[in-house]
Each structure stands twice: as structure tokens, then as C-alpha cells.
Amino acid sequence: MSAGFRFITYFICLIAQRYRSTAQFSIFQSMDFLQLLSCACIIFTVGMFTTGLTDLKKMKATQCSDNVQFLPFLTTCLNNLGWLYYGLLKGDGTVIIVNIIGASLQTLYIITYCHYTKEKKRVFSQTLVMVIVLCVGWVYFTMVIPPGEAQLSQLGLACSVFTISMYLSPLTDLLDIVRTRSVERLSFSLTVATFFTSTSWTLYGLQLQDYYIMVPNTPGIFTSLIRFFLFWWFGAVIPNKPSYKLIQI
């Protein structure tokens, strides 16, 4: 074997080793970033879910559910259960953990509200509608659609649409704020939490190339930025008030 050939062989092996080391470093770096995003998603989202504890304490203190909205508890619980099923099908631990905690907290809020409310008939009818929707969805996604990629895609699409509608539903309140030129109805701390939660999930979905996670959380970023602008435009930040907002996990 000639010296030139040995040199070329050595040079090729050196490049291959260098490329392999760089690729491994990139993979490890990517995994570290994904783990960081996973922790951020869990921390920020669970923090968002615990905002309902303020209403729970209020109901226990006053022994009634006046001035506490029931529908957000119900819709958030339904949203959590949908994403929980998506996480189970995909095998995503972050989605599973967040939505198990979320569904458990929403169930606690619902039970507490039902205990203290005076409008039990209305609450029961709304809860019954949610249970029916949940059962119909379960039958459709488990029995009608065959298991596999189609099942995961359709479930992801349904959860995404529902989450987007939850993020966009407070826009009517923002229009009232613009009309009254008052931000008293907004919670600055909750706006900050919503911004970080939405950003974390958007980056998490982007890192996984999962657009069903990434896309529905993008509106949360924009609505949070609109709230920040309203706080800046209409005056000083109002101290946090007990209020429960629609949130995603």
C-alpha cells in the first residue's frame, strides 16, 4: 500500500470520526434542549392550572359559588382529557403528566363548584353535555377510526381546534377593555404565565415536529402580547385579582 493511499485513508477516517462526534454532540444538545422544554411545559402549565385554587378557596370561604365561572372548569377538563388520550397514543410523557394533573385539578374544581352552587340543575345539565361529548368522542376515536396514524392525526386535529377556540374565546373581553379603556378585568401575572406556557409548548412542538402541539399554542402567544400592549397603553398594572381563565395544556 502506497504512502499516498494510506494518507488518504487516514484523512477520510479522521473526517468520519470528526463528523460522528459532531453529530453525537448535536443529538445530545438537542436532547438537553428538549428536556429543558419539557420541564418548562410542566412547570408553567401546572402553574396555570393551579390558578383555579383561588376560586376554590373563595368558594369555601363564602360557602357559595357566586362570581365564579363554571364553564371554564368544564371545558378545560374536557380539553385535558382529549390531550391526555393524545399523549397516551403518542407515548409522550410530558403531555401525559401535564394533562393528568390538569384533569385532576379541574375535577376537584368541578366537584367543589357543584357542592356550593345554588344552580345545581344548570350545572348538572352542562356536566351531562360534557360527559356525552366525551363518550361520543371516545367511541369515535377508539371504534370508528382504525388505530394508527389516522387515529392520532384526527385526534390531534380535534384537540388543536378545541384549544385554539379556548385561546381565542377571551377576545370579546379584550374588545370590551378597548371600549372601556380599563384593564381592571385583566390579570397581569396570569398574562405572563399564559405567555410563557404558550411559548414553551410552541417550542416543544416545534422541536418534536409535532404541529398539533405547536400550532394551537401559537394564538396564546399573540393574545398574551395583545394583553401586554393593553397594559402598557391603558395605564398601570392592576394587582392580580382572583379570576380563572381558559387555559391549555
Side-chain angles (χ1 to χ4, degrees):
M1 182 181 295
S2 65
F5 183 77
R6 286 198 300 271
F7 175 77
I8 294 173
T9 304
Y10 172 77
F11 184 71
I12 293 174
C13 291
L14 185 64
I15 293 176
Q17 185 178 5
R18 180 67 176 271
Y19 175 78
R20 184 166 58 250
S21 300
T22 304
Q24 289 175 349
F25 176 76
S26 299
I27 292 173
F28 290 142
Q29 192 176 36
S30 177
M31 289 177 62
D32 291 340
F33 183 58
L34 185 62
Q35 291 174 353
L36 178 64
L37 287 175
S38 175
C39 291
C41 289
I42 293 173
I43 293 171
F44 288 130
T45 310
V46 171
M48 290 281 291
F49 289 144
T50 56
T51 58
L53 292 174
T54 304
D55 288 331
L56 188 145
K57 292 178 182 178
K58 180 181 177 181
M59 286 186 286
K60 284 190 174 182
T62 60
Q63 295 293 303
C64 68
S65 61
D66 295 343
N67 299 322
V68 176
Q69 294 181 342
F70 178 67
L71 201 56
F73 297 145
L74 209 58
T75 54
T76 304
C77 184
L78 184 61
N79 194 42
N80 287 147
L81 293 173
W83 282 111
L84 175 59
Y85 188 34
Y86 180 83
L88 290 171
L89 289 180
K90 191 176 180 181
D92 191 313
T94 303
V95 177
I96 293 172
I97 292 172
V98 164
N99 287 285
I100 285 178
I101 297 174
S104 300
L105 286 173
Q106 305 312 314
T107 302
L108 175 63
Y109 303 152
I110 290 171
I111 292 174
T112 304
Y113 191 97
C114 290
H115 177 72
Y116 290 114
T117 185
K118 298 175 182 177
E119 301 178 347
K120 296 187 182 296
K121 185 176 181 180
R122 175 183 62 84
V123 169
F124 176 76
S125 62
Q126 290 179 344
T127 306
L128 182 61
V129 170
M130 190 202 79
V131 172
I132 293 173
V133 171
L134 193 63
C135 292
V136 171
W138 175 263
V139 170
Y140 177 76
F141 287 112
T142 56
M143 299 182 181
V144 177
I145 302 178
E149 192 64 30
Q151 183 187 37
L152 188 65
S153 297
Q154 292 199 29
L155 178 60
L157 180 62
C159 291
S160 297
V161 171
F162 194 78
T163 300
I164 291 173
S165 66
M166 290 177 68
Y167 270 130
L168 296 181
S169 60
L171 286 180
T172 53
D173 293 336
L174 297 182
L175 294 176
D176 290 337
I177 291 170
V178 173
R179 190 183 67 254
T180 59
R181 303 181 67 84
S182 173
V183 292
E184 290 184 358
R185 298 175 61 183
L186 287 181
S187 167
F188 185 76
S189 60
L190 191 58
T191 301
V192 173
T194 302
F195 176 76
F196 282 113
T197 301
S198 303
T199 303
S200 299
W201 281 109
T202 300
L203 293 175
Y204 182 77
L206 181 63
Q207 188 74 6
L208 291 178
Q209 295 296 305
D210 189 331
Y211 297 103
Y212 296 120
I213 294 177
M214 184 186 74
V215 173
N217 285 283
T218 305
I221 299 176
F222 290 109
T223 55
S224 297
L225 292 175
I226 293 173
R227 289 189 179 98
F228 285 135
F229 174 78
L230 292 176
F231 277 116
W232 172 79
W233 187 258
F234 292 122
V237 173
I238 302 300
N240 188 27
K241 291 187 175 183
S243 62
Y244 187 78
K245 302 294 183 182
L246 292 173
I247 52 179
Q248 180 303 40
I249 164 318

